[in-house]
Each structure stands twice: as structure tokens, then as C-alpha cells.
């Protein structure tokens, strides 16, 4: 299963996303077709790879508080906060950079806060060690019984969600290029 039926019904993601041809003479003259997989149209608040990576995680969290990690401009934090607002569960964003705690929120973090995300700023050394038992224990003692999703949302459930991307593209192209940050999207696509 890649897309939980209950969440499908609540959020109505546009999947499969459309595959649109881009006409570009530089490719055409070599007999190469260029297509864009319009995952940006999947959902206004969970665009790009965000629906694919979050859907199974949201289902697994089953309404518990979701805690996740990101930088000051993280699209993953924004999407998680939006999912929390849309589905009615609490979210915590652990943000890289304790210096940001004393500055006005940038538009990305302001959006997260407006969507109800509790922002917790940590210094860069702590952020780098975010997967260590010590840091995780500290976060659990602060925020209680939370479901933890790693930076970029990239865990096994996210990769599983992204396998749908590979199925949607099967037979449609010889080569696929994908943006790569944490690698979760690529892992699912390749699988
Ligand atoms: C639209 C989009 N595509 C791909 C990526 C990369 O995703 P991943 O972290 O799974 O490699 C990101 C995130 O950085 C993104 O926002």
C-alpha cells in the first residue's frame, strides 16, 4: 500500500500526478522527448515529494504528535505543519540554529507556526547529533510520547511511499532525473 485510503479521502491528493511534455528544440533536434512529472500538483500544501513521503508516516502516527527536523527554510517542516493543521494532530519542528530563536521568524517558519507547529530551536552541534540516543531522549523528555520522523521525512515508510513514483513512470521514460537531498525520494523511485 502506498497511499492510505483514509488519508486519500481526507486530503484528496492528485495521484498519479500528470506527466507533461515540455517542447524544447534543443532536445527535439536529437530525437529526445522531455517530460515533467508534475508532483507539484499533488496537493497545494503537500506538494512535490511531500505527499509521497509523508502519507504512510501520517497513517502510522495515528494522530499522535509528530516531531521532525529541518533547517530554517525546510519544505519538509512546512508540509508536516500543514498536514498537522489539515488532519488535526500536533506537530513539533526541531529547527537547526539556536540563534534563530531570538530573531523574527522567516516566512517558512512563520507558516509552520501559523499551522500550529511548535518550533524548538537547537544549536548546530545538537542538530548534527539528532539521531543519537542522548539527543532523542532529551527531545522525548521535553515533548513526551511523540512519533519521530527524520530530517527530510526520509525513513523506510517515505521510501515505500515514493515507490509509487516509479510505478507511475514505468514504461513512460528511459531516464528519470530526480532532485536529491536526503535521498529518500530517489531510494523509493529506484526501488
Ligand atoms: C521538490 C523536491 N524534490 C526532491 C527533494 C529531495 O528529496 P529527498 O530529501 O528525498 O532526496 C526535495 C527536498 O529537498 C524537494 O523539495
Amino acid at each position: 500500500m502506498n497511499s492510505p485510503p483514509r488519508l486519500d479521502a481526507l486530503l484528496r491528493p492528485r495521484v498519479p500526478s500528470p506527466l507533461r511534455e515540455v517542447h524544447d528544440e534543443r532536445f527535439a533536434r536529437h530525437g529526445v522527448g522531455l517530460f515533467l512529472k508534475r508532483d507539484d500538483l499533488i496537493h497545494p500544501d503537500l506538494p512535490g515529494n511531500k505527499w509521497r513521503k509523508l502519507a504512510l508516516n501520517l497513517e502510522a502516527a495515528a494522530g499522535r504528535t509528530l516531531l521532525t527536523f529541518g533547517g530554517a527554510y525546510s519544505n519538509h517542516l512546512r508540509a508536516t505543519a500543514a498536514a498537522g493543521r489539515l488532519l488535526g494532530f500536533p506537530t513539533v519542528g526541531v529547527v537547526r540554529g539556536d540563534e534563530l530563536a531570538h530573531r523574527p521568524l522567516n516566512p517558512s517558519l512563520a507558516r509552520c507556526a501559523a499551522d500550529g507547529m511548535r518550533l524548538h530551536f537547537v544549536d548546530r552541534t545538537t542538530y548534527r547529533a539528532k539521531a543519537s540516543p542522548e539527543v532523542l531522549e532529551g527531545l522525548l523528555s521535553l515533548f513526551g510520547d511523540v512519533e519521530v520522523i527524520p530530517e527530510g521525512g526520509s525513513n523506510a515508510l517515505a521510501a515505500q511511499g515514493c515507490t509509487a513514483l516509479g510505478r507511475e513512470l514505468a514504461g513512460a521514460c528511459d531516464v528519470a532525473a530526480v532532485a536529491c537531498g536526503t535521498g529518500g525520494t530517489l531510494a523509493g523511485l529506484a526501488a
Side-chain angles (χ1 to χ4, degrees):
M1 179 185 66
N2 290 113
S3 202
R6 192 183 64 87
L7 291 187
D8 271 1
L10 284 168
L11 296 182
R12 300 177 160 275
R14 184 173 177 190
V15 280
S17 63
L19 188 63
R20 297 260 162 81
E21 184 157 17
V22 178
H23 294 285
D24 188 315
E25 180 49 31
R26 290 165 299 178
F27 288 86
R29 85 167 78 103
H30 296 289
V32 175
L34 180 65
F35 294 82
L36 288 179
K37 182 71 171 146
R38 296 295 307 274
D39 271 15
D40 55 308
L41 300 176
I42 289 179
H43 191 282
D45 293 315
L46 291 94
N49 55 3
K50 301 302 176 270
W51 162 260
R52 299 190 190 277
K53 291 176 82 168
L54 278 173
L56 292 177
N57 278 297
L58 298 173
E59 186 74 356
R64 290 162 66 212
T65 301
L66 239 162
L67 178 146
T68 192
F69 304 85
Y73 289 92
S74 165
N75 290 328
H76 164 66
L77 284 184
R78 274 184 69 159
T80 305
R85 168 177 51 82
L86 291 166
L87 298 170
F89 62 84
T91 56
V92 177
V94 178
V95 185
R96 180 180 58 231
D98 54 346
E99 73 280 3
L100 300 174
H102 312 292
R103 295 192 196 147
L105 296 179
N106 71 31
S108 251
L109 293 177
R111 186 69 251 163
C112 291
D115 279 343
M117 178 173 264
R118 191 165 161 196
L119 297 174
H120 178 66
F121 296 90
V122 297
D123 65 75
R124 282 150 207 274
T125 308
T126 306
Y127 191 86
R128 265 195 300 278
K130 58 191 170 305
S132 71
E134 298 75 34
V135 170
L136 280 176
E137 270 165 32
L139 291 170
L140 294 183
S141 70
L142 269 178
F143 296 107
D145 178 33
V146 297
E147 183 83 6
V148 176
I149 296 188
E151 183 178 46
S154 286
N155 57 11
L157 289 176
Q160 191 185 330
C162 289
T163 61
L165 187 52
R167 281 193 297 282
E168 289 173 30
L169 286 171
C173 60
D174 305 308
V175 175
V178 62
C180 193
T182 57
T185 309
L186 175 63
L189 175 63

